[in-house]
Amino acid sequence: EVLLVQSGAEVRKTGESLKISCKISGYAFATYWIAWVRHMPGKGLEWMGTIFPADSDTRYSPSFKGQVIISADKSINTAYLQWNSLKASDTSIYYCARLSASSLFLIDYWGQGTLVTVSS
Amino acid sequence: SYLLTQPPSVSVAPGKTASIPCGGDNIGSKTVQWYQQNPGQPPVLVIYYDNKRPSGIPERFSGSTSGNTATLTISRVEVGDEADYYCQVWDSSSGQVVFGGGTKVTVL
């Protein structure tokens, strides 16, 4: 069974750093692209970027380039999303997701989501 | 950047047909996906490559594209179909993946 299990909810203050995780099981982690998707309260879904764990090839959407860092550790089948300096506007649910083998944009499995709350 | 436009809400009576449009420049030339999202849950893929259904998705869900509009159609709507629905494409010119703003389907 394919599972993407994300780390728990986080509460931080503006300016703090944070790294959330997405632990994968049930398939060969290194051979499928992983995407991160933001879902802000009351808003739509936003594609943040993707990573191919086999070689850490990472691609960011323009809106998120320089704002977050996407990484992966294939030795422990885990993908990460990281902020060096959080803003209140980073308050959101963040999903990791697996991209289908046949496509770089078709999501076939999702994590349960991680709620990040940033306050001043 | 490429934009996808969806109406914020669509209302439909049980047993009737819901049509959810997704507008985009020449969207008929792109491949469109549709995701269903219930409150507090991650999205679920209901249509991919314009009109293909993943296993486990009822035949009541169908997709089509033409010109500048893609449409998700839900036939014989059930109360359990109440959810937010998002269209998604890959824009080859920018290399970006784009989601529509989402449509909340309410079953009256």
Side-chain angles (χ1 to χ4, degrees):
Chain A
E1 182 188 11
V2 173
L3 289 175
L4 289 76
V5 179
Q6 298 186 229
S7 49
E10 301 276 4
V11 179
R12 292 286 189 277
K13 294 195 179 299
T14 54
E16 293 185 340
S17 63
L18 176 65
K19 191 173 189 177
I20 61 174
S21 65
C22 174
K23 172 77 172 175
I24 280 82
S25 61
Y27 73 92
F29 172 64
T31 59
Y32 286 78
W33 286 82
I34 294 290
W36 286 93
V37 175
R38 182 170 79 174
H39 191 187
M40 296 180 73
K43 304 292 186 183
L45 303 171
E46 298 173 272
W47 191 273
M48 301 177 71
T50 55
I51 188 166
F52 190 63
D55 59 7
S56 289
D57 182 5
T58 308
R59 304 174 186 186
Y60 294 93
S61 290
S63 300
F64 293 94
K65 191 166 187 177
Q67 307 303 309
V68 298
I69 300 169
I70 294 171
S71 62
D73 184 341
K74 59 186 179 184
S75 69
I76 56 172
N77 291 359
T78 302
Y80 300 97
L81 180 64
Q82 178 181 350
W83 295 261
N84 288 333
S85 181
L86 286 160
K87 310 180 188 70
S89 57
D90 293 320
T91 294
S92 182
I93 295 173
Y94 294 88
Y95 293 103
C96 63
R98 190 187 85 164
L99 301 189
S100 164
S102 60
S103 159
L104 289 182
F105 52 84
L106 197 167
I107 294 175
D108 56 6
Y109 290 94
W110 295 75
Q112 83 276 20
T114 295
L115 174 62
V116 174
T117 304
V118 184
S119 64
S120 53
Chain B
S1 59
Y2 192 77
L3 293 177
L4 293 175
T5 303
Q6 297 183 240
S9 62
V10 165
S11 298
V12 59
K16 300 298 186 184
T17 298
S19 294
I20 305 163
C22 172
D25 184 34
N26 200 23
I27 195 173
S29 67
K30 306 181 186 304
T31 55
V32 182
Q33 280 60 240
W34 290 91
Y35 298 88
Q36 175 194 65
Q37 187 177 31
N38 287 297
Q41 298 295 319
V44 172
L45 181 68
V46 294
I47 292 290
Y48 67 100
Y49 294 168
D50 298 340
N51 54 22
K52 308 257 184 301
R53 277 178 294 103
S55 61
I57 300 301
E59 290 183 11
R60 301 184 297 103
F61 288 80
S62 62
S64 63
T65 62
S66 179
N68 294 322
T69 304
T71 303
L72 174 68
T73 301
I74 311 173
S75 305
R76 302 181 301 283
V77 166
E78 301 175 357
V79 172
D81 298 330
E82 263 200 0
D84 293 326
Y85 291 84
Y86 294 90
C87 56
Q88 178 219 35
V89 301
W90 177 64
D91 177 38
S92 58
S93 63
S94 64
Q96 298 305 313
V97 178
V98 181
F99 286 103
T103 296
K104 181 176 181 59
V105 170
T106 300
V107 181
L108 301 170

